[in-house]
Every structure is written in C-alpha cells, then in structure tokens.
C-alpha cells in the first residue's frame, strides 16, 4: 500500500497579505540588540554605563552646570548586576521621564545641528529595554527639578507599540515628599540611594551582564572619559571595590556651549531638498534659503536662482521636480562659505595635553587642534595628543590584582589573556613575558597554579617589552571614548596608514607602530558618521581622513625632533667614550716626544673632545634618556618630562598653518626624516 505525502497548501496573495503586519522600532531592536551594542554580557554592561553617563554630561553642560556623576555597579546574582548612575544636572520634567526612558527614537538631539554626545534618542531607553528582557525588572528613575518637585518612576517598554508602561503609582508614578523626614522614609521604603544635590537624575537598571576589568571595561571607559572631560568629577564604585574611586576635575571652566546651526546646502541630497520645498510655507526662494540653510545670504540665493534660471520670487512648494533638480545642481556649482564652527566644542590643546599627562606616564607629550573642516556640509574638527615613553602597564600591576584578572578572564590561553587584558601589548611582548615565566603559551589562565602566577607576575615586572609594545590608540567622538571595532574605524585606519618610520618609530606596513607610545584622537562634529547604531566606529569619509592624517603628521614631526635629539646625544656619548679611551696614551706620547707637561696636554685634548661632542653634555637618566637643560624648539603645545619630578611645558599661542607647513604635511608620506633637516 503506497502512502502519499500530504499536499502542501497553495499560498495565495490573500494568505500572504493576511500574515503581513508592521513592527515597531522597539520590537526590531529587541530582536537585533547587537546593533545597539548589547551583543554579549560584558559589552552590555559597558554600553549601559556609557549611555547613562553620556546623557548626564550632555544635560549638565547644556544647563551650564559643572557635572558631578556617581556610578555604582552592584552584583545582585549570578551574571546579574544593578547599574546606578546619578548626576547633578537640571533634572527632568515629570511628563518627559517616561518618554525619555521608555521610548526608542525619542529625544531632542536628532534634529539639532550642534555638537552633542547623544544623537539618535536610542541609547538609555535601549539599555532599559535590555534590562527588562534579560531580568524582567523595570527601570527605576528618580528625577528632581527642585526640592519640592521630585518624582519616582518604574518603567518598562512595550516593544509591540514602542510606548512606555509605568508600573508604579497606578500608572502615574510617585511624587517624593519634600519634607526631609518623610523623604528619608520614602527613599528607604523603596530602596533608593539618592545623593542630595538639590537637583539631578538617578537611573537604576538591573541586567544580565559580566563585569571584567582590563581592555574594553567600565573602568577603562571612565578613565578615558576623565581625560576628554577634565571639567567633570566622577565617583565610581565597582562590584569589587570596597570604597569609591574619585576622578577629580582638573578645571572648573565649562567648555564653550555649542550653538545650534542650520544645515549647510552642500550637505543636502536632492530628495531631501525636494521634500523641504514641498512642505515649505515660505513665499519666495530667497526666504526659503535664508530660513532653511546656513550661509545662504540673499546675494548667494540670487546666484543659485540665476544659474538654475528660476525666479527668486518663485514659491518653493509650487516648483516642479525638474526645477528642484536645477536648483540642486546650481547649489553644487556655487561657491558657498563653509558653515559656522561655533556649533563645535573641542577639548583644546592645553587641556588635552594635561589630561593625557595626568593618566599616561611618559617622557614627551604634545597635542594639536586642527582648524575646522566640513564633510557633507557638516562642520567637524580633529584633535590629536601624543605621549611617548614610560613603563609598560604590566610593570605596575600588583600580584593581588593579577590574580583577580586571571580569575575574571574568559581568554582560553595565557597569550590571549596578556594581549586582550593589557593595552599596548602585542604578540611579541606577550611571547617575551611567557618565555621569561617559563610557561606555555597555551596555558589556561584560570587553571594556573600559585607558583605559576607568581612567576608570571615577576616576568611582567622585569621583562622590557617597550620595543615590541604596539602603539596604544584612544579614539574619541564628541568627547566619548570608542572602545570596540577599532579595525573598522577611520581613526585606526588612518593611524596605520601613516609612515611612522619617518618619525623614528619601528613599523610594519599596514600595522600600528611599535614602541611605548600613546595617541589620543578626538573627532568633534555636529553629526558624527558612525558605522552602526552602537556608535563604536567612525566611517571613512575622505575629508575626515585627510584632517586625521594632517593632525597625526603634525604631532609625529614633534616626536621625531625629540627622538632624533635623544639619538644624537647617545651617539655623541659613545663617540666621546672612544676619544677618552685613547687620550691618555696620546698625551703620554706627546710628553715623551717634546717634554710638554702631561696634564696640560691631557686637559687640552679633553676640551677638544668635549667641544666636538657637545651634545653629549646633556645629562641622561638611569635609563639613558636625556635630561634636557637647553631650550629646544619643539613648536607649540609640548610637555617634556625632564626627570621624575619636573616637567617643562612649552605652550604658545595657536597660529594658523602657513602654506609651507601644509605642503610639508601633504608630501610627508613619501619623505624621509633626515637629521640635517631638523
């Protein structure tokens, strides 16, 4: 008896239509949370802290308040942590609290053309959504506009509709009593820790996460945040910290508040221009251009209309598509001034230099802020700071801290542990340490015996890995550290594309240079072109890469001056040593020939040797590094550490690049750094 398989039901257009429905943005990102930076528990913890801290900094700066932020991470269970962040900002109005923390793509920054850390209105609400998805616990927010206006909410996102659901106060939230005693009772009953600041916001999110120190950790993010934001005071207590750590502010001056500008005509696509005209209520093209764009004066508007052969009095909403396309082409052919740059707030060369010096040990520091430039009509500015020298990070690790790192790591081999945990350690440096400790490169870090851990610690402290150490690159966008996807970022691509051999460093083509060197690169823009919604890497626009290259070359030349000078000192000392080795015999031979006094001849020969090797008179420290006593013109914004205690800062007023400097920068990739040019 033969059996026939059931016949598949025929799919019709009607049945297909019945199964189709729209989805909300929350539902989409709930299924694709990796796009927002929540692709693994460790990264989810960092992203949550990052989004909350960024919002706090933006709020404080916009309200012209010196920011003070409290960050606390508590372990609540296996792979569960509660993240609490509070600021001293202006607070949030009651009606806005549910929308800000419980609705994706809601905010005030997407349409504003000014520099800010947040852009899309996704970050903190997405962190709360991730917490609800992984633990089922709502986001807890307390916000205070004034002592008499404090509100407490428990919120979760309805992902089907992308709307907030308020779980306490019968869907209305709760008002915190203003009376001090009643207030304390309320806070204790609801388990709220609140720092009395007069105003501010505190958000607490419980989520599935993993806490781990080292590269890409919350600790590293907060340390880098302190470098780029010297005006902030950060209080941080991790899950393993008995007391909070405080990153003190190094300046009491707030950065200049960016001014909101209008879009520049060069950055508007044809379709966007047509849409703007179709919905415009202006009665003439002159008014439309003036109200919709920056730098569009009546004279420039007239030039554009004349090239498009359209009257300046034409009503924008009545124009046909062909007319709009003619206007678009005319805009591209008209010379329009660059957009204003008061919409940007760079860190500044001096503060960047001092912030780097405060965190990164070294012998030589320099920084530069490039003049503003434009990509797609968006103003941007590039800043670079560089530090050279100092011991490797592995030499300052305590034995107890190393044990904790080994217990926390998820690396499979010891080689992976060293490379992934400590910044700047390449494969060569890791292999040197492992060889010295007499361990296997495939040794599991979590299964090491106490004597092996002790041997590894001794090797880390004693092995010199400065030659094999790779450059450490700190990437920033609008003062926010970027810690993931370095290879996909335009900053890393530009750094590896520079020929650092011109400046005295070792480098293999297509890779980061080797040596004890740290570089900070900051991109400030009204709209940073991130490669994804998680905001981890910057897109490689040619205009941005050009500015990055010029800034890196500028600090590279100053580093080349320093390294070349130090190399000359060592060479002259070796030369003088060879002279001194034979001066006694020469003086003795002259004395025997003509009877001249031996000491007189010897002293004269020593003076000649010193004069011929005058560079060797520079004092050297115990590591052979010069302690420079004479003035050397390194240029603007240079900090030289002359010994372990004293710094010499060379800071001059900024001057614009002249044509000769620009030509030097453009041709530098193919040039060699000759000693006589210095």
């Amino acid at each position: 008896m033969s059996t026939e398989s059931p016949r598949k039901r025929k799919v019709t257009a009607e049945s297909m239509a019945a199964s189709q429905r729209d989805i909300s943005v929350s539902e989409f990102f709930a299924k694709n949370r990796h796009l927002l930076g929540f692709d693994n528990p460790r990264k989810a913890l960092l992203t949550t802290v990052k989004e909350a801290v960024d919002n706090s900094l933006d709020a404080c700066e916009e309200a012209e308040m010196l920011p003070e932020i409290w960050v606390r991470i508590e372990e609540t269970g296996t792979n569960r942590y509660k993240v609490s962040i509070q600021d001293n900002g202006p607070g949030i109005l009651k009606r806005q609290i549910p929308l800000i923390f419980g609705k994706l793509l809601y905010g005030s920054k997407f349409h504003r053309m000014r520099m800010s850390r947040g852009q899309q209105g996704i970050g903190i609400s997405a962190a709360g959504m991730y917490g609800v998805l992984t633990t089922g616990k709502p986001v807890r927010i307390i916000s205070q506009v004034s002592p008499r206006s404090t509100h407490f909410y428990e919120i979760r996102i309805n992902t089907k509709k992308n709307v907030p659901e308020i779980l306490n106060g019968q869907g209305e939230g709760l008002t915190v009593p203003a009376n001090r005693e009643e207030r304390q009772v309320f806070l204790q009953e609801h388990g709220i820790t609140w720092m009395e600041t007069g105003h501010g916001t505190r958000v607490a999110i419980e989520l599935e996460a993993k806490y781990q120190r080292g590269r890409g950790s919350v600790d590293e993010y907060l340390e880098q945040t302190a470098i780029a934001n010297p005006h902030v005071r950060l209080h941080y207590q991790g899950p393993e910290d008995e007391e909070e750590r405080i990153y003190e502010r190094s300046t009491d001056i707030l950065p200049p508040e960016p001014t909101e500008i209008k879009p520049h005509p060069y950055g508007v696509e044809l379709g966007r221009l047509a849409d703007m005209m179709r919905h415009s209520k202006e009665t003439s093209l002159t008014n439309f251009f003036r109200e919709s764009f920056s730098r569009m004066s009546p004279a420039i508007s007239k030039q554009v209309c004349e090239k498009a052969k359209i009257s300046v009095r034409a009503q924008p909403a009545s124009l046909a598509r062909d007319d709009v396309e003619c206007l678009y082409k005319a805009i591209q052919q008209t010379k329009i001034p660059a957009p204003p740059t008061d919409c940007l707030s760079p860190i500044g060369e001096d503060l960047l230099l001092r912030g780097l010096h405060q965190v990164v040990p070294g012998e030589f520091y320099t920084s530069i802020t490039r003049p503003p430039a434009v990509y797609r009509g968006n103003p941007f500015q590039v800043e670079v700071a560089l530090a050279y020298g100092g011991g490797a990070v592995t030499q300052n690790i305590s034995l107890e801290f190393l044990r904790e790192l080994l217990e926390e790591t998820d690396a499979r081999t010891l080689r992976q542990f060293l490379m992934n945990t400590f910044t700047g350690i390449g494969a060569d440096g890791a292999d040197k340490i492992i060889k010295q400790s007499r361990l296997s490169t495939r040794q599991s870090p979590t299964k090491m015996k106490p004597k092996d851990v002790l041997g590894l610690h001794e090797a880390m402290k004693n092995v010199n890995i400065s030659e094999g150490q790779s450059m450490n690159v700190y990437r920033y966008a609008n003062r926010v550290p970027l810690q993931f996807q370095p290879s996909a970022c335009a900053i890393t691509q530009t750094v590896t594309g520079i020929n650092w051999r011109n400046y005295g460093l070792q480098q293999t083509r297509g890779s980061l240079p080797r040596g004890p060197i740290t570089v900070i690169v900051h991109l400030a823009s009204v709209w940073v072109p991130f490669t994804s919604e998680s905001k981890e890497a910057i897109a490689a626009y040619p205009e941005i890469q050009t500015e990055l290259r010029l800034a890196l070359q500028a600090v590279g030349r100053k580093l080349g001056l320093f390294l070349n000078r130090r190399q000359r000192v060592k060479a002259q000392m070796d030369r003088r040593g060879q002279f001194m080795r034979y001066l006694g015999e020469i003086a003795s031979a002259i004395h025997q020939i003509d009877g001249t006094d031996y000491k007189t001849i010897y002293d004269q020969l020593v003076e000649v040797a010193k004069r011929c090797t005058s560079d060797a008179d520079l004092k050297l420290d115990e590591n052979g590094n010069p302690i420079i006593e004479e003035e050397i013109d390194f240029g603007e914004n240079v900090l030289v550490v002359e010994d372990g205690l004293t710094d010499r800062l060379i800071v001059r007023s900024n001057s614009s690049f002249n044509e000769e400097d620009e030509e030097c920068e453009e041709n530098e990739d193919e040039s060699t750094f000759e000693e006589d040019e210095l």
Side-chain angles (χ1 to χ4, degrees):
M1 180 177 179
S2 62
T3 59
E4 296 182 1
S5 59
R7 191 172 183 180
K8 189 176 179 181
R9 184 180 178 183
K10 185 177 180 181
V11 177
T12 64
E14 288 77 9
S15 63
M16 293 175 62
S19 64
Q20 292 175 347
R21 65 181 181 88
D22 61 341
I23 60 171
S24 72
V25 64
S26 299
E27 190 175 4
F28 172 79
F29 281 119
K31 291 186 177 180
N32 297 277
R33 58 195 185 200
H34 59 280
L35 297 175
L36 301 176
F38 297 95
D39 45 342
N40 63 71
R42 183 187 180 192
K43 196 172 173 184
L45 181 65
L46 171 64
T47 302
T48 300
V49 173
K50 171 180 173 295
E51 296 296 347
V53 170
D54 290 351
N55 285 357
S56 295
L57 288 170
D58 273 339
C60 291
E61 291 174 5
E62 193 165 344
E64 298 184 356
M65 300 173 178
L66 278 172
E68 187 164 5
I69 301 174
W70 291 264
V71 179
R72 187 174 183 182
I73 303 175
E74 304 170 80
E75 188 173 7
T76 59
T78 304
N79 292 333
R80 277 198 179 187
Y81 293 86
K82 184 173 78 170
V83 176
S84 304
I85 293 96
Q86 180 179 338
D87 60 58
N88 65 332
I92 305 172
L93 294 178
K94 179 181 178 180
R95 65 177 182 274
Q96 294 293 103
I97 294 174
L99 296 172
I100 290 175
F101 294 93
K103 184 180 179 69
L104 265 64
L105 292 179
Y106 181 87
S108 62
K109 301 169 184 176
F110 185 84
H111 298 286
R112 290 193 308 183
M113 294 285 289
R114 55 171 283 182
M115 174 180 163
S116 64
R117 293 170 182 83
Q119 291 186 172
Q120 302 157 341
I122 293 179
I124 192 62
S125 51
M129 181 179 69
Y130 175 82
V132 173
L133 288 173
T134 55
T135 67
K137 297 207 174 170
V139 184
R140 293 159 57 90
I141 307 106
I142 180 170
S143 187
Q144 179 173 306
V145 178
S146 68
R148 295 185 177 275
S149 180
T150 309
H151 304 284
F152 170 58
Y153 280 86
E154 292 184 344
I155 296 172
R156 68 185 177 197
I157 297 182
N158 182 333
T159 56
K160 297 292 184 182
K161 300 179 180 179
N162 189 33
V163 294
E165 294 181 352
I166 303 170
L167 306 181
N168 62 339
Q170 297 180 346
E172 297 293 332
L174 297 174
T175 300
V176 182
N179 180 274
R180 180 176 296 181
E181 294 180 357
E182 295 178 357
R183 185 187 190 90
Q184 291 300 323
V185 172
F186 180 93
L187 295 176
Q188 289 178 2
E189 287 180 350
H190 292 84
I192 301 171
T193 303
W194 175 256
M195 309 300 296
E196 293 294 346
T197 60
H199 42 72
T201 302
R202 185 182 187 90
V203 56
I205 301 174
E206 190 166 341
L207 68 157
E208 181 182 308
K210 182 177 181 181
Y211 174 78
Q212 185 174 326
R213 285 175 285 194
R215 296 178 64 180
S217 65
V218 173
D219 305 59
E220 185 184 52
Y221 161 76
L222 293 175
E223 183 178 275
Q224 293 184 21
T225 298
I227 295 176
N229 301 273
H231 58 290
V232 66
R233 179 185 287 119
L234 272 172
H235 304 255
Y236 171 57
Q237 186 170 5
E240 300 173 356
D241 298 332
E242 296 182 0
E243 298 180 356
E244 72 174 17
R245 284 175 272 169
I246 300 178
Y247 296 90
E248 288 289 350
R249 60 173 60 102
S250 57
T251 178
D252 291 331
I253 302 175
L254 280 167
E257 182 182 1
T259 303
E260 185 176 353
I261 65 170
K262 297 174 183 176
H264 194 272
Y266 286 162
V268 179
E269 287 85 1
L270 174 59
R272 174 61 179 159
L273 180 63
D275 187 64
M276 291 173 67
M277 287 187 170
R278 186 166 57 251
H279 294 92
S280 175
K281 297 181 181 180
E282 300 295 337
T283 57
S284 68
L285 283 175
T286 302
N287 292 340
F288 168 76
F289 284 130
R290 184 180 67 246
E291 297 299 326
S292 303
F293 300 105
S294 64
R295 302 303 196 192
M296 287 295 288
S297 64
I300 295 178
S301 299
K302 185 178 179 181
Q303 291 181 34
V304 171
C305 292
E306 287 178 349
K307 289 183 179 180
K309 297 180 180 180
I310 299 173
S311 172
V312 294
R313 296 183 179 181
Q315 188 173 358
S318 64
L319 292 178
R321 184 192 175 282
D322 292 341
D323 294 334
V324 176
E325 186 169 358
C326 290
L327 283 172
Y328 176 77
K329 292 179 179 179
I331 287 173
Q332 311 306 315
Q333 298 169 1
T334 304
K335 187 174 182 180
I336 303 173
T341 57
D342 54 358
C343 54
L344 304 177
S345 179
I347 301 170
E349 294 172 335
D350 185 28
L351 290 177
L352 195 59
L353 191 69
R354 296 181 188 277
L356 181 61
H357 177 228
Q358 187 175 1
V359 176
V360 180
E363 309 157 25
F364 177 84
Y365 303 82
T366 182
S367 65
I368 185 173
T369 298
R370 287 284 304 172
V374 179
Y375 80 94
R376 287 185 55 196
N378 298 312
F380 74 96
Q381 204 162 3
V382 170
E383 299 180 285
V384 173
L386 177 148
Y388 179 86
V393 64
T394 53
Q395 297 177 343
N396 301 319
I397 298 296
S398 65
L399 180 60
E400 182 180 355
F401 188 35
L402 177 61
R403 289 195 182 103
E404 294 176 359
L405 292 174
L406 288 168
E407 292 174 358
E408 296 171 358
T409 185
D410 53 2
R412 295 183 178 180
T413 66
L414 187 58
R415 192 169 187 258
Q416 288 179 351
F417 166 75
L418 291 172
M419 294 175 61
N420 297 338
T421 305
F422 304 105
T423 55
I425 295 187
D428 293 343
D431 290 341
K432 285 183 181 179
I433 293 174
I434 294 172
K435 183 178 180 181
Q436 179 69 23
S437 62
R438 298 181 180 178
L439 296 172
S440 170
T441 56
R442 303 188 65 82
Q443 167 76 50
S444 174
T446 56
K447 298 180 180 179
M448 292 179 64
K449 298 178 181 178
K451 65 176 183 179
D452 294 336
V453 176
L454 186 62
L456 177 64
H457 182 255
E458 288 296 321
M460 289 170 60
K461 293 184 72 68
N462 298 324
V463 172
N464 180 15
I465 61 171
S466 60
E467 294 300 325
Q469 182 179 351
S470 60
M471 174 187 281
N472 189 21
V473 181
Y474 290 163
R475 301 172 294 131
Y476 290 87
N478 286 356
R479 299 176 181 258
V480 178
L482 310 178
Q483 295 184 281
F484 295 98
Q485 297 186 15
S487 59
C489 185
I491 292 176
T492 307
Q493 294 169 8
T494 307
V495 171
T496 55
I498 297 289
N499 184 5
W500 292 96
R501 293 186 297 274
N502 287 346
Y503 313 118
L505 299 177
Q506 298 179 357
Q507 181 186 21
T508 304
R509 182 178 294 274
S511 63
L512 292 173
R514 294 189 296 274
I517 182 170
T518 299
V519 169
I520 288 179
V521 182
H522 176 226
L523 175 69
S525 178
V526 297
W527 185 261
V528 179
F530 293 112
T531 58
S532 67
E533 295 85 351
S534 58
K535 300 183 292 186
E536 295 170 345
I538 298 171
Y541 280 89
E543 299 89 342
I544 293 177
Q545 288 190 303
T546 297
E547 287 297 314
L548 289 170
R549 178 172 55 83
L550 294 177
L552 290 165
Q553 288 174 341
V555 296
R557 284 196 298 276
K558 296 176 183 179
L559 174 65
L561 283 169
F562 174 77
L563 295 180
N564 185 273
R565 181 65 170 172
R566 188 172 69 171
Q567 186 63 32
R568 286 214 306 264
V569 170
K570 291 183 178 180
Q572 292 293 346
M573 287 195 68
D574 293 342
R575 186 182 178 197
R576 179 178 292 183
Q578 294 176 358
F579 285 160
M580 299 298 291
R581 188 180 306 168
Y582 301 106
L583 290 185
E585 296 182 9
I586 295 173
S588 177
I590 294 175
H591 171 71
Q592 292 177 6
I593 292 173
D594 59 8
T596 306
D597 181 62
Y598 172 85
K599 187 175 184 309
T600 301
I601 291 295
Y602 183 80
D603 290 343
Q604 290 177 353
L605 290 173
V606 168
E607 287 298 322
V608 172
K610 286 183 177 181
R611 192 164 58 248
C612 294
T613 59
S614 59
D615 283 344
D617 288 328
L618 290 177
K619 298 178 181 178
L620 299 177
D621 60 20
E622 58 184 3
N623 297 321
N625 300 323
I627 301 174
I628 304 173
E629 296 180 341
E630 63 179 89
E631 182 69 24
I632 302 175
D633 185 11
F634 289 110
E636 301 172 359
N637 297 292
V638 172
L639 179 66
V640 179
V641 180
E642 298 184 342
D643 53 36
L645 301 175
T646 306
D647 298 338
R648 177 161 58 85
L649 180 62
I650 307 172
V651 181
R652 299 187 178 88
S653 60
N654 296 333
S655 60
S656 60
F657 291 89
N658 56 40
E659 295 180 1
E660 185 176 336
D661 291 333
E662 292 285 4
E663 183 178 356
C664 176
E665 291 168 335
E666 292 291 344
N667 298 329
E668 211 159 68
D669 285 336
E670 303 299 329
S671 65
T672 56
F673 214 62
E674 297 294 343
E675 178 177 319
D676 58 344
E677 293 179 353
L678 301 176

